[in-house]
Amino acid sequence: MIGIIVSGHIHFATGMQSAVEAIVGEQASLEFIDFVPTMTTEQLEEQMISSIEKMNDGSGVLILTDVPGGSPCNRGVAIMLNRDDVQVVAGCNLPMITNACFERDGVSLDELTDIVCEIGSQSMKDMKKELAQLENNNSDSFEDEL
């Protein structure tokens, strides 16, 4: 099973943890690492490496971070550059994390990374435009029925 690490600034990770567990339940090989002001980036990287070593059964580990270019992302990328069994996706949201949990069995790390990125792009919606599209679709179908 592909391991998953969620990391972000302050309490992003543990905040996501409560939401993820409410949706998918407690998961094996899923860890949440907050980057709090009292930590150094070296300590953050050490925690990530420790989690990777604990979780990785040979399937690899996907690190999901809050902000592209932020310290959790940068530390994940530093690890990824030295390992073939780690990938990093930055800018993650709740649908990406929950779907990563659902989709990680029976796929490769590369496939899971692609799936998570696709879900991330699909889950962002301008709701005003979505509602307008629904209104247009409903009025079109109503006119077609006349």
Side-chain angles (χ1 to χ4, degrees):
M1 174 188 309
I2 296 171
I4 300 170
I5 295 172
V6 177
S7 185
H9 294 84
I10 312 301
H11 299 293
F12 174 83
T14 51
M16 285 292 184
Q17 180 177 11
S18 59
V20 169
E21 289 176 353
I23 295 167
V24 301
E26 287 190 34
Q27 297 280 306
S29 299
L30 173 63
E31 298 209 0
F32 298 85
I33 302 172
D34 287 324
F35 179 53
V36 294
T38 57
M39 291 175 77
T40 65
T41 56
E42 291 80 14
Q43 290 170 322
L44 174 63
E45 187 171 338
E46 288 170 11
Q47 274 194 298
M48 288 178 166
I49 291 169
S50 176
S51 291
I52 291 166
E53 296 301 324
K54 182 172 59 172
M55 286 192 289
N56 193 358
D57 65 1
S59 302
V61 175
L62 180 60
I63 300 174
L64 302 171
T65 69
D66 59 349
V67 180
S71 294
C73 174
N74 293 344
R75 293 301 85 216
V77 169
I79 295 166
M80 180 183 71
L81 291 174
N82 293 310
R83 302 180 68 127
D84 293 332
D85 58 352
V86 172
Q87 291 203 30
V88 178
V89 174
C92 76
N93 58 33
L94 184 59
M96 294 168 75
I97 301 167
T98 55
N99 280 281
C101 293
F102 289 132
E103 301 288 339
R104 64 182 163 159
D105 291 327
V107 298
S108 71
L109 183 56
D110 287 337
E111 291 169 325
L112 183 60
T113 301
D114 290 343
I115 290 167
V116 166
C117 288
E118 180 67 22
I119 289 166
S121 66
Q122 291 175 357
S123 66
M124 294 182 292
K125 305 286 183 189
D126 177 334
M127 294 311 296
K128 185 174 183 177
K129 289 179 183 176
E130 291 291 313
L131 290 172
Q133 182 66 36
L134 286 172
E135 283 180 8
N136 287 338
N137 288 344
N138 287 338
S139 64
D140 289 347
S141 63
F142 179 72
E143 288 175 6
D144 289 343
E145 292 175 11
L146 293 177

